[in-house]
Amino acid sequence: MSSTPWHDPAAPDPFSAWHGVHARVAHLLRHPAAPAFIGELDALCEVILRTVDAAPEASLFEMIYGEEIAGYAVAHSLQTAFVTALVAQRLEWPLRDRETLVKASLTMNIAMLDLQDTLVRQPTPPTSKQRQEIDSHPQRGRDMLAAIGITDADLLHTVAHHHVTPGGHALPADRSQLSPLACLVHYADVYLAKLSPRATRGAIAINVAARELQTSAGGASNPYVTAIVQEMGIYPPGTFVKLRNGDTAIVLRRGTTPDTPLVSRLLRADGTPYLMTQRTDTTEPDHKVVAALPRGLVMLTLNRRRLYDQVEA
C-alpha cells in the first residue's frame, strides 16, 4: 500500500468538516437576518470547496453515509452543494460558477425549511396551501437573499430558477433561456431527494435513483443528468452494497469502471460481522457488486477514519 494520504493534510478533515459545516449551515439558514450572513455563506462555500477538492472520495462517503444532524432540509441542501461542486469540476466550469453553485444549493430552500422537514414526515400528499408554498419558494428565497443584502445576480437568479422542470423531467427543446447553473442545481436536488426516506416510502437505492432520474429527465440528451451520474458512479462512496458471495460491504472509493468500486466488507452472508473490515477489490468475480442497499437496511456504526486509513492510494 502506498504512503500517499487519501486527503490533503493541509485541508479540512472531511469527517470533521461534515459535522462542523452541517451545524454552521443549520445556524445560517435558521437565522437569515443575521448581520454576518453574507460573510458566513462565503466562508462555508470556501470550506466545502476545499474539502471536496482535497478528499473527494471521503467527502462523498460522508455525504452519502453521514447522519442528518440538523434535519433533512439542512442535510439535503448541503448534499446538493457537495454534488454540484464535484460535477462542476468534472464539467471544467470556472471557480466562480462552482462558488455560485455551492451558495445557491445551500440557500435554494431557505424559504421553506420547516415545510421541507414536515413533508418528509407527512404521510399524506401536500395540501393546497403547502403546494402554494412549494411553488413560490424559489422566488421567495431569492427575495429573502436580496433583502439580506446579496447582490450577486447569478446567485439570485439560480435560486429563483432552481426548479427548472416539474419533478426533474426532461429539458425543453429550446434551452436558450435556461441557466446552466440552475439546471445543475435542479437535477442534483431531484437526484438526492430520492435517497432519503419519506413517511410514504423508504429510501431508494442510489443506483435505482440514478436510473429513475435518467429515465424521467431525458436520458443521454440531458447533459446535467449525464454529468451527475458519471461523477457519482453507480455505487458512490458511502453506499452499502451486496456482493455476489452474499457479503454486505460499503463503498470507499469509485473504481476504474462504474461497477467496480473499492469496498470494505462488513458482514458475512449469514449476517455475522467481520472482526476486521475486509478491503476488497470488486473486479474479482466472487466479490462483484450485485446490488446497492438503501442506507436504512444496514444498521451499523462505522469508524470512517479507520476505514479510510486502510485505503491510502
Side-chain angles (χ1 to χ4, degrees):
M1 185 183 300
S2 166
S3 60
T4 304
W6 48 264
H7 72 292
D8 178 356
D13 173 354
F15 305 110
S16 298
W18 172 263
H19 288 270
V21 169
H22 200 132
R24 288 172 64 183
V25 170
H27 186 269
L28 178 77
L29 297 180
R30 299 291 182 186
H31 301 84
F37 185 95
I38 297 175
E40 177 67 349
L41 183 61
D42 288 343
L44 284 165
C45 176
E46 181 181 354
V47 171
I48 290 169
L49 287 175
R50 285 179 62 209
T51 305
V52 167
D53 291 348
E57 305 295 328
S59 296
L60 269 177
F61 183 101
E62 197 66 356
M63 187 202 74
I64 298 294
Y65 175 83
E67 299 175 353
E68 294 177 358
I69 301 166
Y72 168 75
V74 172
H76 178 70
S77 294
L78 187 49
Q79 289 173 335
T80 306
F82 268 72
V83 170
T84 55
L86 281 165
V87 175
Q89 188 176 54
R90 166 180 283 273
L91 295 171
E92 299 182 342
W93 287 2
L95 175 61
R96 164 74 178 169
D97 285 349
R98 295 183 79 209
E99 291 171 340
T100 301
L101 287 165
V102 169
K103 294 177 188 178
S105 297
L106 294 179
T107 59
M108 63 183 175
N109 295 325
I110 194 170
M112 59 169 286
L113 294 176
D114 291 338
L115 178 57
Q116 259 195 308
D117 286 337
T118 296
L119 292 172
V120 169
R121 303 185 299 268
Q122 183 171 299
T124 56
T127 64
S128 57
K129 181 180 179 181
Q130 288 173 332
R131 175 50 60 188
Q132 289 176 354
E133 285 190 61
I134 294 169
D135 292 343
S136 66
H137 85 270
Q139 185 61 44
R140 289 188 293 112
R142 182 258 177 227
D143 293 344
M144 287 176 65
L145 295 177
I148 291 167
I150 289 178
T151 58
D152 184 329
D154 287 339
L155 173 55
L156 295 175
H157 184 85
T158 302
V159 170
H161 296 278
H162 75 271
H163 277 216
V164 178
T165 67
H169 291 169
L171 292 165
D174 181 5
R175 305 176 188 178
S176 59
Q177 301 303 311
L178 297 182
S179 158
L181 298 173
C183 288
L184 184 53
V185 171
H186 172 59
Y187 288 109
D189 177 11
V190 173
Y191 168 71
L192 291 163
K194 295 177 180 292
L195 306 184
S196 294
R198 302 285 191 273
T200 54
R201 63 159 174 80
I204 298 174
I206 199 161
N207 59 325
V208 176
R211 186 165 61 246
E212 287 186 358
L213 181 62
Q214 286 179 305
T215 300
S216 65
S221 68
N222 189 317
Y224 308 103
V225 170
T226 298
I228 289 169
V229 174
Q230 287 178 342
E231 180 61 32
M232 296 295 286
I234 301 174
Y235 309 112
T239 305
F240 287 109
V241 293
K242 185 68 72 174
L243 306 183
R244 179 172 285 164
N245 69 351
D247 283 359
T248 297
I250 192 162
V251 177
L252 300 179
R253 177 170 292 174
R254 291 164 292 181
T256 54
T257 62
D259 59 350
T260 58
L262 177 70
V263 306
S264 184
R265 285 182 287 153
L266 307 172
L267 301 172
R268 295 180 175 86
D270 62 6
T272 58
Y274 284 100
L275 293 179
M276 297 286 291
T277 55
Q278 307 290 308
R279 174 182 169 178
T280 301
D281 180 357
T282 58
T283 60
E284 300 171 6
D286 218 30
H287 296 138
K288 179 180 173 60
V289 176
V290 295
L293 303 174
R295 172 75 171 84
L297 290 185
V298 184
M299 306 305 291
L300 291 174
T301 300
L302 303 176
N303 184 325
R304 280 91 94 183
R305 284 188 186 85
R306 182 175 298 172
L307 284 172
Y308 273 84
D309 284 344
Q310 299 173 7
V311 295
E312 293 177 352

